[in-house]
Amino acid sequence: MLLDLHTHSIKSDDGRAKVENYCQWIKAKALPLDGFVLTEHRQFDDESDYSALAEKFGLCILKASEVETEYGHVLVYGVTPELQKAFDFASTHLELAVVLSESKKHGAMAVPCHPGRPKVGMFAHTDELGIPEGVEIVEIHNGGSRDQEDQIAIDNAEALNYRGIAGSDSHIVSHIGRCATKFSRNINSINDLVEALKAGDFEAVNLKTAG
Amino acid sequence: MSIATLSDVEFGVELPTFEPDTSLKTVGTFAELVGWGGARFSDHEAARKEGLAGAMVPGILSQGYLVAMIHQWAPPAEIKKIDTVFRAPVIADEPHAINGVVTDIDDEEGLVEVDITVTNEKGETRVFGTASVKLPQ
């Protein structure tokens, strides 16, 4: 099962894609995606219900979040009401240690994204702040990466024994599916996704180079 | 194919690529004409001293090229909105490509939504956004 684990819709301040148009695009272009995860910036979208769209298009549509820490941006999968009370998702100055520990405590999984990117990526800060404890997975392929950002992520992840996921980081419709993560098991809910991530049952796929 | 009416448009269709003139001469002249005169738009060395990779193409010039790309595709188009996110500078004298693709069609309103991107030779997205375009029914 192939899921794009990093997408943004118009719910994000810099997102320009409607979720229905993502679905139409995946089908019209026959992308190999089985679904995608909406990771809106600095929030968890409690309001939106995409179950009807998921059924109409035969796609798995899940919701997560992208929060901001002193080590850069972090995807959080498995957000619960309790986790939303544990730290302020809207803050731009969260502590990575808090995001990691609270996510773990509440059964979620926190994953630093585009870690090879200047300023907003984890490895841009490790020289100054040290290697953070508790990271298990990082995003090693990001659809918006420039220059050597993905390679920096891959090299550091290998050196630190992190597992790697991939996501397109799409903000417009036509950018969905540039990178994705392959799972050998079926994912039908956010709990399924978190369990698969915890089990290490996945493989990052870069579709940008697949033609 | 030049687009004349809404019925000519299909979901997912790609607009012809537009190659913008990013020459330093044009960029510097444009910046001066719109009152943005400054070394960062007209002098690579001075721009580098400001921490940039080179002289930049002003954002409003990139937006102008995006509009030109849409009108090249659909001459009668009325562009209702161009909404851009500037991810990284568009550097003068470097070849770039402007692309668009139709991602939504509203038959009732006669509106087409177009994803728009400005990419450099390495395929890196420097600017992305959407345009809302009204076409004759």
Side-chain angles (χ1 to χ4, degrees):
Chain A
M1 189 161 190
L2 192 64
L3 298 178
D4 186 336
L5 296 187
H6 189 170
T7 69
H8 299 274
S9 78
I10 51 175
K11 287 279 180 179
S12 288
D13 51 6
D14 59 352
R16 301 292 183 267
K18 297 180 198 121
V19 177
E20 181 165 11
N21 293 145
Y22 272 146
C23 298
Q24 288 176 311
W25 183 262
I26 290 166
K27 293 302 175 187
K29 296 294 178 182
L31 300 186
L33 290 180
D34 295 297
F36 54 94
V37 185
L38 293 154
T39 52
E40 311 295 6
H41 289 293
R42 299 178 303 281
Q43 61 178 300
F44 180 73
D45 176 15
D46 279 306
E47 296 172 347
S48 304
D49 179 358
Y50 299 117
S51 55
L53 279 179
E55 187 173 350
K56 178 181 175 185
F57 289 95
L59 292 165
C60 175
I61 307 175
L62 303 175
K63 296 189 293 185
S65 181
E66 180 174 352
V67 299
E68 299 183 13
T69 76
E70 81 279 32
Y71 278 92
H73 295 187
V74 180
L75 302 169
V76 182
Y77 302 103
V79 178
T80 62
E82 293 73 29
L83 181 57
Q84 290 180 75
K85 291 176 193 157
F87 57 82
D88 179 8
F89 276 54
S91 171
T92 55
H93 297 93
L94 292 169
E95 287 182 38
L96 178 61
V98 171
V99 172
L100 289 165
S101 63
E102 290 295 335
S103 294
K104 190 169 187 179
K105 183 176 158 187
H106 291 88
M109 176 61 80
V111 178
C113 53
H114 40 69
R117 188 166 300 171
K119 296 180 185 173
V120 295
M122 188 177 87
F123 298 126
H125 302 279
T126 47
D127 281 351
E128 183 188 351
L129 303 175
I131 305 295
E133 287 190 18
V135 175
E136 296 174 39
I137 306 170
V138 295
E139 186 184 62
I140 57 170
H141 290 297
N142 177 288
S145 286
R146 293 184 290 270
D147 300 320
Q148 294 300 306
E149 290 173 7
D150 278 358
Q151 198 56 51
I152 291 167
I154 291 165
D155 293 345
N156 281 280
E158 193 175 319
L160 293 163
N161 205 26
Y162 298 152
R163 292 189 298 273
I165 63 163
S168 67
D169 201 358
S170 58
H171 290 73
I172 55 176
V173 171
S174 54
H175 281 177
I176 197 167
R178 294 185 298 180
C179 302
T181 304
K182 188 176 182 182
F183 297 88
S184 58
R185 61 176 78 180
N186 279 339
I187 309 286
N188 296 308
S189 69
I190 197 69
N191 288 339
D192 290 347
L193 175 62
V194 171
E195 287 309 310
L197 291 172
K198 286 179 180 174
D201 177 25
F202 54 84
E203 178 191 350
V205 181
N206 182 6
L207 296 161
K208 284 187 289 185
T209 54
Chain B
M1 177 186 174
S2 185
I3 297 297
T5 65
L6 187 68
S7 60
D8 295 333
V9 182
E10 289 180 19
F11 182 90
V13 75
E14 292 180 14
L15 282 61
T17 299
F18 183 90
E19 292 178 9
D21 176 4
T22 62
S23 67
L24 191 62
K25 184 167 180 267
T26 297
V27 168
T29 301
F30 177 87
E32 194 176 337
L33 284 171
V34 298
W36 286 19
R40 61 170 53 191
F41 301 116
S42 57
D43 183 332
H44 286 305
E45 200 52 44
R48 286 185 193 108
K49 283 179 183 165
E50 291 187 41
L52 298 161
M56 291 193 304
V57 175
I60 53 171
L61 180 53
S62 289
Q63 287 182 316
Y65 286 139
L66 289 164
V67 169
M69 183 263 296
I70 291 166
H71 277 139
Q72 175 186 269
W73 168 67
E78 181 187 345
I79 297 171
K80 307 297 283 187
K81 189 171 77 170
I82 287 271
D83 182 5
T84 43
V85 177
F86 293 91
R87 270 287 189 256
V90 174
I91 302 300
D93 284 335
E94 291 184 3
H96 285 75
I98 294 181
N99 288 289
V101 60
V102 174
T103 59
D104 198 12
I105 300 171
D106 183 338
D107 290 315
E108 287 184 12
E109 297 294 328
L111 290 171
V112 171
E113 186 104 341
V114 180
D115 274 8
I116 45 182
T117 54
V118 181
T119 52
N120 63 12
E121 272 192 308
K122 289 189 278 185
E124 298 166 343
T125 302
R126 316 302 282 183
V127 183
F128 70 80
T130 55
S132 182
V133 177
K134 190 166 181 66
L135 288 165
Q137 297 275 14

